[in-house]
């Protein structure tokens, strides 16, 4: 592949709902530009972008894939770096990584399905990152697909930015071409995306007039001179229209709507032309913003290949067969083979042997990569996603991709004993690739937890562990971190006496136990012994007995909190007493006293925030009440959304991700954090104590 300058590069992310046809769009564009000899199909498992075993098996994208193509544009050859992203919400981290380095977006919409939740989320991402965008409508070959109806819905949903650039031509209910509203010319398909000029059909002229008027009005608004000419009835030249439209598209004021058929590979020449003509090159799209490590000040630079090297690593690919690749966008300078780079985040130097671009699973060596381009480097030892590479003499750190926090989690266990180390190693490689995946060791409950965005992502991880790394894990419901405490004050004796020939063991204590009022601290220990009934040198042993009992409470073997233990009295034997005997005596007193002091289970409470459109608030609040949640209030957000704030027991949030998506059609999002412990209701306590007793019995047998 040739080396391209900054002006010749277009970095375009494909966004949209799962199943809308993003991978098919990438495949069609690759086929038309000569990358492949035949067009693959997702259903056949032979597309460029969906090459992973899991993607082929499930027939949807799981990872973001690079598909660079070369296109002969109106003003010379350009390189288009297509970033094909997953549409399913469990893999949103992949989308966020891709969007962080894209300069423009194509939102793919299935004409028959219309606006879906994934369409709305794609639009919101483009708004957040201020990405210029084109909406490309697929499935135009479907007889029941109404382009006019879809346009009305798009305008209602997204406002006046929506600007159809094409009107479909149908003959005998078949999609055979389109009218170009910018040039006001008809186009009839001849072979695939090739077309010839044709007459504009009479039945399209009414819609075409409305679309054309909106376009000309948008052109007029770009300058006062144009506005005067518009009102005086002057016509604009074709070049003036193109320039004005390009300016508005780049600024996000106009969102062109184009169309095609992925299966029949129709409409993609026009899309390629629009990418070349309307989308910005990296230097036009924006600036690289970071921090100059040498002085701590904000750093801003244009994409420029004539200054020193800096680049940001936005994604890592770890494949058992082709190895590890760090995908990066060159921000400034030129990345060359056989050079030394400096990882600013890790304060470490790394050697680069070769420089590549990835096209699906194909690895293509290139002489160099210039500012604005996207490529890859193999086998970097310390570099991870989010790191910045630069020169040691000019250390710059760019902002890391903003990645969603995972809140769904499951317990995982090895199916085969002895595989734990292999599983840990395999998970660390998967976590390098996917920043929304986390493996956590919950020492308190003696369980390993796997966090992700949703259940489907966790299922894919289990499948990858088996297919890639030949280890099997089982997912199950996690144990929750309950606590034990008491509600009233009691006094309890503890006497430990053992005689076994020679010196015996003797320890005798009388203690009081009461709530301390501090649920953050396991226990508070005091002594109020008079007259030396228990010698001072045994006080630490008594406290040690209390401390050890707090690790596993008498009620259900959960940690104990909020206890005040006071040593009141006791007795000792000058020969047989020992620290061990007094520790055991304190243990006996603790267990007796605890069970008499109104023992209760405390459950963890989370502070939950749920963001949903207005129409779903009733359903969500009703569901939270069923989960024993307390709704504390609602905050209005922009875009007709509400943030519901509630306190909910952590155990009731198990499976919440799936239920929330079901209630809201996938548009609802939530976050939570641990807040405090509260007394569990009687039925919950009874059920938990019984379940805990059964599990402890089975583990001991």
């Amino acid at each position: 592949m040739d080396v391209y300058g900054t002006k010749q590069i277009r970095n375009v992310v494909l966004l949209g709902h799962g199943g809308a046809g993003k991978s098919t769009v990438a495949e069609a564009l690759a086929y038309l530009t000569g990358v492949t000899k035949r067009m693959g199909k997702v259903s056949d498992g032979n597309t460029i972008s969906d090459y992973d075993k899991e993607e082929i098996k499930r027939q949807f994208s799981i990872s973001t894939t690079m598909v660079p193509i070369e296109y002969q544009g109106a003003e010379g050859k350009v390189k288009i770096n297509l970033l094909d992203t997953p549409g399913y919400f469990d893999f949103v981290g992949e989308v966020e990584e891709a969007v962080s380095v894209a300069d423009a977006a194509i939102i793919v919409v299935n004409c028959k399905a219309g606006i879906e939740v994934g369409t709305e989320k794609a639009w919101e991402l483009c708004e957040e990152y201020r990405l210029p965008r084109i909406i490309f409508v697929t499935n135009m070959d479907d007889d029941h697909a109404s382009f006019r109806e879809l346009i009305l819905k798009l305008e209602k949903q997204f406002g006046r930015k929506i600007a159809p650039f094409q009107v479909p031509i149908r003959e005998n209910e078949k999609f055979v071409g389109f009218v170009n509203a910018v040039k006001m010319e008809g186009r009839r398909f001849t072979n695939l995306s090739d077309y010839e000029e044709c007459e504009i059909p009479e039945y399209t002229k009414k819609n075409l007039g409305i679309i054309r008027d909106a376009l000309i009005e948008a052109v007029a608004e770009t300058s006062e001179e144009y506005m005067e000419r518009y009102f005086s009835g002057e016509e604009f030249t074709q070049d003036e229209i193109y320039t004005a439209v390009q300016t508005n598209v780049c600024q996000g004021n106009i969102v062109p709507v184009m169309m095609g058929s992925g299966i029949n590979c129709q409409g993609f020449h026009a899309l390629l032309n629009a990418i070349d003509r309307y989308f910005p090159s990296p230097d036009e799209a924006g600036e690289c913003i970071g921090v100059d490590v040498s002085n701590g000040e904000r750093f801003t630079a244009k994409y420029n290949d004539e200054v020193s090297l800096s680049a940001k690593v936005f994604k890592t690919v770890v494949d058992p067969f082709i190895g590890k690749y760090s995908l990066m966008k060159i921000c400034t300078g030129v990345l060359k083979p056989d050079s030394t780079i400096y990882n600013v985040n890790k304060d470490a130097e790394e050697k680069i042997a070769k420089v590549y671009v990835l096209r699906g699973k194909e690895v293509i060596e290139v002489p160099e990569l210039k500012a604005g381009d996207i490529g890859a480097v193999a086998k970097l030892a310390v570099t991870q996603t989010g790191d910045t590479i630069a020169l040691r003499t000019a250390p710059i750190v760019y902002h890391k991709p903003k990645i969603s926090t995972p809140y769904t989690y499951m317990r995982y266990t090895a199916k085969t004993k002895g595989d734990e180390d292999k599983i840990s190693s395999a998970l660390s490689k998967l976590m390098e690739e996917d920043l929304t995946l986390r493996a956590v060791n919950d020492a308190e409950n003696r369980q390993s937890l796997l966090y992700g965005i949703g259940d489907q992502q966790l299922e894919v991880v289990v499948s990858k562990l088996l297919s890639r790394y030949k280890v099997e894990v089982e997912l199950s419901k996690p144990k929750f971190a309950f606590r034990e405490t008491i509600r009233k004050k009691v006094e309890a004796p503890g006497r430990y006496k053992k005689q076994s020939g020679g010196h015996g063991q003797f320890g005798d204590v009388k203690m009081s136990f009461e709530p301390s009022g501090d649920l953050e601290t396991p226990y508070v220990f005091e002594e109020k012994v008079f007259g030396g009934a228990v010698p001072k040198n045994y006080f630490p042993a008594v406290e040690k007995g209390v401390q050890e009992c707090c690790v596993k409470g008498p009620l259900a073997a959960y940690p104990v909190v909020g206890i005040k233990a006071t040593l009141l009295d006791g007795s000792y034997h000058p020969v047989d007493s020992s620290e061990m005997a007094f520790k055991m005596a304190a243990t006996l007193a603790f267990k007796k006293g605890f069970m008499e002091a109104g023992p209760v289970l405390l459950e963890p409470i989370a502070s939950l925030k749920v963001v949903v459109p207005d129409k779903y608030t009733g359903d969500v609040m009703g569901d939270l009440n069923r989960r024993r949640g307390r709704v504390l209030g609602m905050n209005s957000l922009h875009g007709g959304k509400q943030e519901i704030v509630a306190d909910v027991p952590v155990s009731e949030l198990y499976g919440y991700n799936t239920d929330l998506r079901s209630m809201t059609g996938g548009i609802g999002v939530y976050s939570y954090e641990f807040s405090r412990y509260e007394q569990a209701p009687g039925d919950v306590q009874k059920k938990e104590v019984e379940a805990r007793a059964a599990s402890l019995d089975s583990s001991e047998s």
Side-chain angles (χ1 to χ4, degrees):
M1 182 173 274
D2 295 338
V3 173
Y4 288 83
T6 308
K7 290 276 184 200
Q8 301 166 286
I9 294 166
R10 307 286 183 273
N11 295 314
V12 182
V13 62
L14 296 170
L15 302 172
H17 196 79
K22 296 180 295 299
S23 295
T24 304
V25 168
E27 192 71 17
L29 293 173
Y31 175 58
L32 282 180
T33 52
V35 170
T36 58
K37 299 297 181 191
R38 61 188 292 270
M39 193 169 150
K41 293 182 181 177
V42 172
S43 56
D44 293 343
N46 59 356
T47 61
I48 295 171
S49 51
D50 288 354
Y51 63 86
D52 186 86
K53 280 183 184 177
E54 290 301 316
E55 293 175 318
I56 294 167
K57 181 171 82 176
R58 297 167 192 269
Q59 296 194 359
F60 60 75
S61 299
I62 291 169
S63 304
T64 289
T65 310
M66 281 286 304
V67 184
I69 58 176
E70 296 167 293
Y71 173 65
Q72 186 62 48
E75 296 180 9
K77 216 172 182 185
V78 293
K79 179 188 182 187
I80 303 169
N81 289 317
L82 294 173
L83 293 142
D84 182 19
T85 66
Y88 289 95
F89 309 135
D90 282 21
F91 310 103
V92 67
E94 297 283 337
V95 182
E96 290 164 333
E97 287 174 349
V99 168
S100 72
V101 294
D103 302 315
I106 295 172
I107 300 177
V108 181
V109 180
N110 184 316
C111 191
K112 191 174 179 182
I115 298 173
E116 298 174 274
V117 173
T119 315
E120 295 178 46
K121 291 199 171 191
W123 184 276
E124 287 172 4
L125 265 176
C126 290
E127 290 286 289
E128 183 183 344
Y129 285 85
R130 297 179 181 174
L131 288 181
R133 71 215 75 150
I134 289 173
I135 293 176
F136 188 76
V137 180
T138 60
N139 216 23
M140 287 300 297
D141 52 283
D142 192 301
D143 295 346
H144 303 290
S146 171
F147 184 73
R148 186 170 179 274
E149 197 176 299
L150 176 61
I151 291 298
L152 292 173
K153 288 178 181 175
L154 288 169
E155 287 173 343
K156 184 181 177 184
Q157 180 76 33
F158 302 126
R160 293 184 63 188
K161 288 182 177 183
I162 298 297
F165 275 27
Q166 298 169 340
V167 175
I169 297 176
R170 290 185 179 275
E171 287 180 4
N172 302 320
E173 297 186 359
K174 298 290 182 188
F175 177 56
V176 296
F178 61 90
V179 179
N180 182 327
V182 181
K183 284 188 173 181
M184 291 297 283
E185 293 173 355
R187 306 278 190 249
R188 179 187 294 275
F189 296 123
T190 53
N191 176 40
L192 301 178
S193 274
D194 293 340
Y195 53 75
E196 62 186 11
E197 281 193 40
C198 68
E199 291 291 321
I200 298 175
E202 197 64 36
Y203 68 86
T204 65
K205 287 183 178 176
K206 184 182 176 184
N207 282 342
L208 188 60
I210 297 168
I211 289 166
R212 178 71 177 181
D213 288 346
L215 263 179
I216 297 302
E217 194 176 324
V219 169
E221 287 178 1
T222 58
S223 75
E224 288 183 16
E225 180 202 337
Y226 281 12
M227 188 64 79
E228 287 175 14
R229 287 172 56 190
Y230 174 70
F231 282 124
S232 65
E234 274 190 58
E235 291 286 324
F236 296 118
T237 67
Q238 204 64 53
D239 284 343
E240 287 172 337
I241 293 172
Y242 274 132
T243 303
V245 167
Q246 184 191 28
T247 302
N248 275 270
V249 170
C250 284
Q251 292 172 352
N253 299 326
I254 288 180
V255 177
V257 183
M258 303 180 73
M259 70 183 80
S261 163
I263 290 174
N264 297 331
C265 198
Q266 294 171 326
F268 292 99
H269 272 314
L271 180 60
L272 283 167
N273 188 42
I275 292 170
D276 171 39
R277 190 182 288 271
Y278 300 129
F279 277 167
S281 57
D283 59 324
E284 296 167 330
E287 299 170 323
C288 316
I289 298 170
V291 176
D292 186 336
V293 176
S294 63
N295 55 25
E297 293 180 1
R298 176 186 163 100
F299 171 83
T300 305
K302 285 277 188 186
Y303 288 93
N304 179 0
D305 54 27
E306 294 180 359
V307 293
S308 59
L309 171 70
S310 69
K312 53 186 176 184
V313 179
F314 71 94
K315 180 175 171 55
T316 304
V317 177
V318 183
D319 190 282
F321 304 107
I322 63 172
K324 176 185 171 182
Y325 288 89
S326 301
L327 274 70
M328 57 187 73
K329 185 178 187 183
I330 314 304
C331 297
T332 58
V334 180
L335 182 67
K336 296 184 178 182
D338 301 316
S339 58
T340 301
I341 56 169
Y342 174 59
N343 184 319
V344 186
N345 301 75
K346 302 290 193 300
D347 188 20
E349 288 190 341
E350 301 222 59
K351 286 287 291 180
I352 289 179
K354 294 178 180 178
V355 176
Y356 306 96
V357 293
L358 302 185
R359 183 183 284 143
K361 63 182 175 183
E362 185 185 0
V363 180
I364 305 163
E365 190 179 341
V366 290
E368 60 185 21
L369 290 171
K370 294 192 173 183
D373 210 346
I374 295 174
V377 175
K379 298 175 183 175
L380 294 182
V382 300
T383 301
Q384 296 174 309
T385 302
D387 287 351
T388 299
I389 64 166
L391 298 182
R392 190 181 278 276
T393 52
I396 304 299
V397 169
Y398 294 114
H399 300 308
K400 295 188 177 189
K402 182 183 167 188
I403 303 294
S404 294
T405 305
Y407 291 104
T408 299
Y409 63 98
M410 299 275 279
R411 180 186 185 186
Y412 73 92
T413 50
K415 272 194 175 181
T416 307
K417 281 194 174 182
D419 272 358
E420 287 81 8
D421 287 345
K422 286 184 189 174
I423 291 167
S424 176
S425 172
L427 280 174
S428 69
K429 288 174 183 171
L430 292 178
M431 286 188 287
E432 272 193 85
E433 285 191 293
D434 186 351
L435 297 188
T436 63
L437 183 67
R438 291 180 193 167
V440 176
N441 179 34
D442 178 9
E444 179 187 316
N445 292 298
R446 291 189 300 207
Q447 60 182 353
S448 297
L449 301 175
L450 198 58
Y451 279 78
I453 299 296
D455 295 331
Q456 193 173 48
Q457 180 190 12
L458 299 184
E459 286 173 23
V460 168
V461 167
V462 172
S463 196
K464 279 185 177 180
L465 287 172
L466 180 58
S467 62
R468 282 191 188 183
Y469 302 103
K470 306 297 181 275
V471 287
E472 282 190 85
V473 300
E474 282 182 327
L475 297 181
S476 57
K477 186 177 179 178
K479 292 181 281 186
F480 300 101
F482 286 84
R483 295 283 185 268
E484 299 180 20
T485 194
I486 55 175
R487 287 179 296 182
K488 60 185 181 183
K489 182 176 181 177
V490 297
E491 290 185 4
R495 187 180 179 91
Y496 181 74
K497 187 175 182 181
K498 195 172 184 183
Q499 198 69 41
S500 56
H503 284 309
Q505 296 286 350
F506 180 82
D508 178 31
V509 295
K510 183 182 179 186
M511 301 182 73
S512 73
F513 300 97
E514 61 189 302
S516 70
D518 177 12
L519 296 180
E520 299 290 318
T521 309
Y523 71 92
V524 176
F525 178 72
E526 286 185 5
E527 51 79 21
K528 293 181 180 176
V529 179
F530 294 100
V534 177
K536 285 184 178 180
N537 57 310
Y538 293 133
F539 292 173
V542 174
E543 183 177 356
K544 181 76 172 170
V546 172
Q547 182 185 13
E548 288 184 3
C549 285
C550 286
V551 175
K552 260 188 176 183
L555 186 61
Y558 283 112
V560 173
V561 294
I563 291 254
K564 182 180 179 183
T566 307
L567 177 61
L568 302 173
D569 201 359
S571 61
Y572 74 103
H573 189 281
V575 176
D576 291 349
S577 285
S578 66
E579 289 184 359
M580 194 273 280
F582 272 98
K583 187 180 87 167
M584 294 302 295
T587 300
L588 293 169
F590 185 98
K591 289 179 177 177
K592 186 175 189 301
F594 190 93
M595 296 308 288
E596 292 173 357
V600 291
L601 271 190
L602 301 173
E603 61 179 345
I605 303 297
S607 177
L608 175 76
K609 292 179 180 177
V610 187
V611 177
V612 290
D614 290 336
K615 61 182 177 181
Y616 296 117
T617 52
D619 292 342
V620 170
M621 286 195 286
D623 178 71
L624 290 175
N625 288 331
R626 284 191 292 275
R627 294 174 186 271
R628 301 189 287 118
R630 289 193 299 274
V631 176
L632 304 178
M634 286 203 309
N635 304 313
S636 292
L637 304 177
H638 65 85
K641 290 187 176 182
Q642 296 284 345
E643 180 186 64
I644 301 167
V645 182
D647 282 348
V648 186
V650 171
S651 59
E652 295 290 344
L653 287 176
Y654 179 72
Y656 187 60
N657 181 64
T658 303
D659 293 345
L660 180 64
R661 285 185 189 173
S662 175
M663 275 185 287
T664 64
I667 196 75
V669 293
Y670 72 102
S671 62
Y672 65 86
E673 58 183 16
F674 170 77
S675 175
R676 64 190 178 281
Y677 277 95
E678 281 185 6
Q679 184 176 329
D683 58 331
V684 173
Q685 175 167 316
K686 183 172 182 288
K687 186 178 173 185
E688 187 60 33
V689 169
E690 288 172 357
R692 190 77 163 168
S695 68
L696 289 170
D697 288 344
S698 64
S699 65
E700 287 169 8
S701 59

